[in-house]
Amino acid sequence: EAGVAQSPRYKIIEKRQSVAFWCNPISGHATLYWYQQILGQGPKLLIQFQNNGVVDDSQLPKDRFSAERLKGVDSTLKIQPAKLEDSAVYLCASSSSLVLTRSSYEQYFGPGTRLTVT
Amino acid sequence: LAKTTQPISMDSYEGQEVNITCSHNNIATNDYITWYQQFPSQGPRFIIQGYKTKVTNEVASLFIPADRKSSTLSLPRVSLSDTAVYYCLVGEPGYSTLTFGKGTMLLVSP
């Protein structure tokens, strides 16, 4: 089966500019996640969607970050305006809704988008 | 969420068995133990998950003692391609989200 797709793979912008990332999860996966991974650290969850509804966005800096998942499939994550500290890899992951009933933390991650803010 | 502690780094040689231990002293009754692997420039990959005793799949084994306050990920006969960061996570699927620490950087040498 096709994996989680993300684009672009790399992006360089100047501070105060805007940027958007796109994610296409595995077909049929109801749950979608966006993570931020700063160099040398583990991924940090930014937002979790169940279909097109938000389950958890407690760690999303809502003054500059926004995310949407229209029609419960693809998702976009936007940063506006970007700051230097936003330089990181942004990972998208998905999991099947059936996972929750199986008591599993199995998520499938995409390759990520490496963002550099100068 | 239960806090986990694991070594920052480990070194091994090809063909050896590697055991990475994770400490989670305040694990809750409904928590599961999950391990992920991450190669450079890739997203993490699910390796194995368990609740108690021993779990084995085609990639690794997970040993969990009766008190569940620690767990050990065992990689049999590692190769150079097993060089990666390994994350230990503890939580209740469906109720708490994954919280990644810094992981253990495993370096396998020839």
Side-chain angles (χ1 to χ4, degrees), chain B residues 11-109:
Chain B
D11 295 321
S12 183
Y13 293 97
E14 283 188 293
Q16 290 189 334
E17 177 184 71
V18 171
N19 296 309
I20 306 174
T21 297
C22 179
S23 172
H24 29 80
N25 290 320
N26 60 340
I27 188 169
T29 302
N30 295 330
D31 285 348
Y32 281 70
I33 300 152
T34 308
W35 286 81
Y36 272 79
Q37 173 192 56
Q38 186 174 26
F39 298 114
S41 301
Q42 294 187 26
R45 181 175 76 111
F46 175 91
I47 301 176
I48 198 166
Q49 178 176 301
Y51 183 80
K52 62 181 179 180
T53 62
K54 176 183 175 182
V55 180
T56 298
N57 61 24
E58 64 278 6
V59 176
S61 294
L62 178 60
F63 298 92
I64 306 168
D67 66 4
R68 302 197 331 120
K69 294 184 182 298
S70 67
S71 58
T72 300
L73 175 73
S74 181
L75 305 172
R77 297 179 299 281
V78 295
S79 64
L80 297 177
S81 62
D82 291 315
T83 292
V85 177
Y86 293 82
Y87 297 98
C88 167
L89 304 102
V90 172
E92 184 176 356
Y95 290 92
S96 59
T97 55
L98 280 177
T99 300
F100 289 82
K102 292 188 176 182
T104 296
M105 174 64 217
L106 172 65
L107 176 61
V108 180
S109 301

Side-chain angles (χ1 to χ4, degrees), chain A residues 62-117:
Chain A
K62 299 179 184 65
D63 58 333
R64 298 184 300 105
F65 286 65
S66 65
E68 61 182 9
R69 191 183 184 197
L70 300 177
K71 301 180 181 178
V73 182
D74 293 5
S75 177
T76 56
L77 176 69
K78 297 179 182 178
I79 307 175
Q80 180 180 5
K83 293 184 175 181
L84 296 177
E85 58 261 35
D86 297 332
S87 294
V89 175
Y90 291 84
L91 295 159
C92 178
S94 70
S95 64
S96 167
S97 60
L98 293 176
V99 161
L100 298 180
T101 62
R102 292 208 309 266
S103 296
S104 173
Y105 269 130
E106 186 168 5
Q107 298 179 13
Y108 296 83
F109 283 79
T113 296
R114 181 176 299 277
L115 173 67
T116 301
V117 182

